[in-house]
Amino acid sequence: PSQPIETKIDVLIIGAGPAGVMAADMFARYTAQGLTCRIIDKRSAKLDNGQADGLNCRTLEIFESLGFVESIEKEGSRMSEINFWNPCPETGRLVRTGKIPDTIPGLSRFQQTILHQGRIEAHLIADAAKHSNGAIIPERGVLPEALEIDESLLSDPSAYPIKVTLRHLSEEESNPDGLTQNGATRSGLFRSSLVSAEEEEKLYKKKEQAVKREIVSAKYVIGCDGAHSWTRRTLGIKMIGEQTSELRLGSTRRCPHHQLPDIRARCAIHSANAGSVMVIPQERDLVRLYIQLPVQVKPGEYLDRSKVTPESILATARAILHPYTLDTELIEWFTGYHIGQRLTESFTPNNRVFLAGDACHTHSPKAGQGMNTSMQDTFNLAWKIGHVVTGLAKPELLETYSLERQVVAKTLIDFDTKFSKLFSGKPASKDDLDEGVSLSEFKDVFATGNLFAAGMSISYAGNLIVARPDGTSSIKSRPELASKLAVGERFFSAQVVNVASATPDQLTTRMLTNGAFRILVFAGNVAEEKAMKKLEKLAEYLDGEESVVSKYTPKGRSRSSVIDVITIHSSDRLALELYDFPQPSIFPSNDPHTAYKKVYVDAPSYHRGDGKAYEAYGISKEEGAIVVVRPDQYVALITSLDDTATLDAYFSQFLVPAAQGSPAKDIRLLSPPDWSKVEK
Ligand code: FAD
């Protein structure tokens, strides 16, 4: 065989599923500062149907911050209600026993939306190509074969301590045949957990000679390679937990002939004796049914996949739904999988090679958390790596990834264990209420689980970048200054009015993901002299050479690129002119990135009412507050308007003064993207 070629890269992402492409999209935003990134996937075929499809509120908020939530909402199917169907205690006939909202009202501006995973990946891939000027596009048909870490280089941030040998596969090798098609129905079995890691591996190594081999030296590697993660196995990291012997089936079907009135809403249906089904209304008027197949598999064994057919799914669905009928002309996609709750013992052995997504946690798909949690893992990780690689932050920042996400994964596994058990259980009968699942218990878990499932219950503990009042760090927030915001939780949006244009807007639409921390200055009633004096004093600090903005922004980059200051006052909008605000930090007319989008007012708008932002955040108009929000929208610090010492102390923990970090790179003029390569 020919000699492998040798290449270098800052970040190598293994796997172009939801976790991988979210990471790619985030890194795309750092390519202008010189970060280089590649994303590889062993499969040559991108996902065109099936697998995950539920987008929770938090993921939709993230998509808003990435700038493409409108397209997702347009394409997807929004879920508004959950219906519970159970056997009537007297007759045993299926009856509707309750309805609750699918997303708790008021939780977020976005409600759970259904769109299949392949489309989500396509949006993220297109966005990554756009932001990297065509530099980051998944390379398909590339399989990693070996991973070596030079321990002696780990402490040097400029070193490339990881070597990954890649094998570029032929089309035949990278597209395992035989299992992808079943007449007009697409089978997802070949990607499913019914295929063991060893069996899957063999599928990709049919030929002895590699088409091409490459040795990539990388600073960082992220294993986003799914439940059978090669990266995890190569690192020798174990998954803890058991794969159960239960078997679930997901199928997506057109459903024109049926009698169930709730087919266009989410339903949890428990039959008396035939099992349970979850109905999920999908895009294009499709419906997905999650069904428990009446097949038992011993722990550790794999089911004979030939038993999982569209016909067996349909027959089970009909038995559960009886006396409602169900006929279909076409089942578009089906699959089967074992479920079990498993969690990796570590997310990273050295803060150089990381695991994310299904590579770290696997569970049932019922609560729709797999794709969401996987994307949220890399949304958390990628900006941290981006900051370190481009010289903005110290490598210690990377330690917060497993501190934060491992707890989320553990909570997910615990929630899923409870949820799955309740979903699979038989309903308690009239004669034996102690046995089986009580309907009220199921509904309660569903309702409380909603907060978790929406991605809204995440609360990061105190760490280097989360200055919680109860944290171990000496830097403490003053939560009473913004009593309805919680340090460690995601910053929620409220409507404010732009001072320059009088246009109302959600505050988060002004906080798009670009790697910047935000200092939100709630300046209070600045029409009063005392409050304006306070703001002027803060502005003097921010404009000074020793301020966090001046210290950490590399020369040549926009003043808002590392720490972006946004002021929200609460005076009468007409009492002040734009130029009454101190320049340049509060109103920088010379910053092309944020010109005229620096000062907002919490006031009524002409067309969209009054956002009442101060009230929503629990901030006093007399006292005001400073709220620091992380690049991934989590509240990092709450302090008073005059407490610049705490701002200094907070950022100095993890940011690198610009004079010591990598010199600022000019925005690279890359060649225009090759759009023919961008997957639609
Ligand atoms: P994955 O989506 O698994 O992506 C991993 C990627 O890595 C893949 O593209 C794969 O080709 C690639 N890869 C794997 N190994 C290698 C390697 N050695 N080298 C290079 N590339 C590699 N969740 C739900 O919420 N609802 C559902 O209905 C649902 N149904 C599912 C059905 C099936 C058949 C499967 C497999 C999963 C399903 N899930 C469902 C789970 C959901 O798809 C995952 O939680 C989610 O995709 C995890 O994203 P990920 O990026 O971590 O991993």
Side-chain angles (χ1 to χ4, degrees), residues 446-477:
F446 221 108
T448 46
N450 231 332
L451 188 70
F452 177 78
M456 292 302 169
S457 59
I458 292 171
S459 178
Y460 294 138
N463 63 43
L464 198 63
I465 47 173
V466 179
R468 274 175 83 123
D470 55 355
T472 46
S473 154
S474 58
I475 298 158
K476 305 257 188 257
S477 280

Side-chain angles (χ1 to χ4, degrees), residues 15 18-19 41-43 51-52 117 144 191 225 288 290 358 370 374:
D41 199 291
K42 66 182 181 187
R43 294 191 167 108
Q51 291 195 211
Q117 187 174 325
R191 285 178 181 252
D225 42 354
R288 175 176 293 193
Y290 284 99
D358 274 14
S374 299

Side-chain angles (χ1 to χ4, degrees), residues 240-556:
I240 297 170
E242 280 307 312
Q243 184 153 288
T244 69
S245 57
E246 293 174 49
L247 186 79
R248 300 280 181 279
L249 274 160
S251 75
T252 308
R253 57 175 66 235
R254 281 196 189 283
C255 200
H257 314 300
H258 62 86
Q259 293 166 341
L260 193 75
D262 294 335
I263 203 83
R264 288 311 299 164
R266 186 169 169 195
C267 300
I269 302 173
H270 281 89
S271 73
N273 296 307
S276 56
V277 58
M278 169 100 80
V279 176
I280 305 281
Q282 289 198 308
E283 72 273 11
R284 295 183 289 127
D285 284 342
L286 295 167
V287 176
R288 175 176 293 193
L289 304 176
Y290 284 99
I291 302 158
Q292 183 179 355
L293 267 198
V295 194
Q296 286 300 317
V297 187
K298 289 197 189 116
E301 285 187 5
Y302 284 82
L303 177 90
D304 173 3
R305 289 190 299 271
S306 66
K307 292 207 169 113
V308 183
T309 62
E311 293 73 28
S312 64
I313 296 168
L314 203 54
T316 312
R318 282 183 179 137
I320 299 168
L321 290 173
H322 180 79
Y324 295 99
T325 58
L326 183 71
D327 285 304
T328 179
E329 275 143 24
L330 174 67
I331 293 180
E332 255 200 21
W333 173 86
F334 75 100
T335 193
Y337 38 87
H338 296 277
I339 59 160
Q341 287 80 20
R342 306 204 310 159
L343 178 63
T344 177
E345 57 187 356
S346 160
F347 276 42
T348 171
N350 47 24
N351 290 312
R352 286 287 196 158
V353 186
F354 298 89
L355 298 173
D358 274 14
C360 313
H361 38 75
T362 56
H363 41 85
S364 90
K366 283 290 169 34
Q369 293 307 292
M371 177 167 61
N372 290 293
T373 311
S374 299
M375 288 188 286
Q376 288 167 25
D377 280 349
T378 46
F379 189 67
N380 178 294
L381 172 63
W383 71 266
K384 297 171 181 173
I385 296 181
H387 265 57
V388 174
V389 167
T390 56
L392 292 176
K394 303 173 188 169
E396 287 85 334
L397 177 62
L398 301 173
E399 289 165 15
T400 63
Y401 169 63
S402 45
L403 285 177
E404 295 183 342
R405 297 307 296 177
Q406 204 144 355
V407 177
V408 172
K410 171 83 176 69
T411 317
L412 167 61
I413 298 295
D414 292 346
F415 166 72
D416 191 65
T417 309
K418 202 165 169 188
F419 188 71
S420 283
K421 223 164 118 196
L422 282 176
F423 194 85
S424 318
K426 230 173 116 172
S429 70
K430 186 173 141 233
D431 305 326
D432 192 356
L433 283 172
D434 293 338
E435 281 293 311
V437 178
S438 110
L439 300 182
S440 63
E441 186 188 3
F442 183 66
K443 224 167 121 182
D444 283 354
V445 171
F446 221 108
T448 46
N450 231 332
L451 188 70
F452 177 78
M456 292 302 169
S457 59
I458 292 171
S459 178
Y460 294 138
N463 63 43
L464 198 63
I465 47 173
V466 179
R468 274 175 83 123
D470 55 355
T472 46
S473 154
S474 58
I475 298 158
K476 305 257 188 257
S477 280
R478 291 187 52 199
E480 73 283 3
L481 297 175
S483 60
K484 292 187 186 158
L485 284 171
V487 180
E489 293 185 15
R490 102 343 175 166
F491 179 79
F492 60 85
S493 198
Q495 181 182 290
V496 288
V497 177
N498 182 260
V499 165
S501 66
T503 309
D505 224 336
Q506 290 293 326
L507 195 44
T508 51
T509 60
R510 167 60 184 80
M511 297 164 67
L512 297 185
T513 296
N514 63 359
F517 278 80
R518 263 68 190 218
I519 294 184
L520 303 180
V521 179
F522 289 90
N525 184 3
V526 285
E528 282 181 6
E529 201 186 335
K530 199 172 145 212
M532 185 53 106
K533 282 257 158 341
K534 241 187 190 179
L535 181 64
E536 282 169 353
K537 193 148 180 249
L538 178 65
E540 202 181 309
Y541 156 79
L542 290 168
D543 293 341
E545 274 186 18
E546 287 305 307
S547 82
V548 289
V549 178
S550 308
K551 206 180 329 173
Y552 300 114
T553 310
K555 263 210 172 74

Side-chain angles (χ1 to χ4, degrees), residues 22 25-26 29 55-69 72 108-110 124 127 371-380 405 454-456 458 460 490 508 511-513 631-634:
M22 170 62 85
D25 194 16
M26 291 292 285
R29 286 157 168 79
L55 295 167
N56 69 22
C57 306
R58 180 65 199 134
T59 300
L60 291 164
E61 290 178 355
I62 291 172
F63 288 169
E64 181 197 41
S65 84
L66 295 172
F68 57 80
V69 73
I72 299 277
S108 165
R109 291 187 299 116
F110 301 99
L124 284 158
D127 202 52
M371 177 167 61
N372 290 293
T373 311
S374 299
M375 288 188 286
Q376 288 167 25
D377 280 349
T378 46
F379 189 67
N380 178 294
R405 297 307 296 177
M456 292 302 169
I458 292 171
Y460 294 138
R490 102 343 175 166
T508 51
M511 297 164 67
L512 297 185
T513 296
D632 57 358
Q633 295 181 325
Y634 282 80

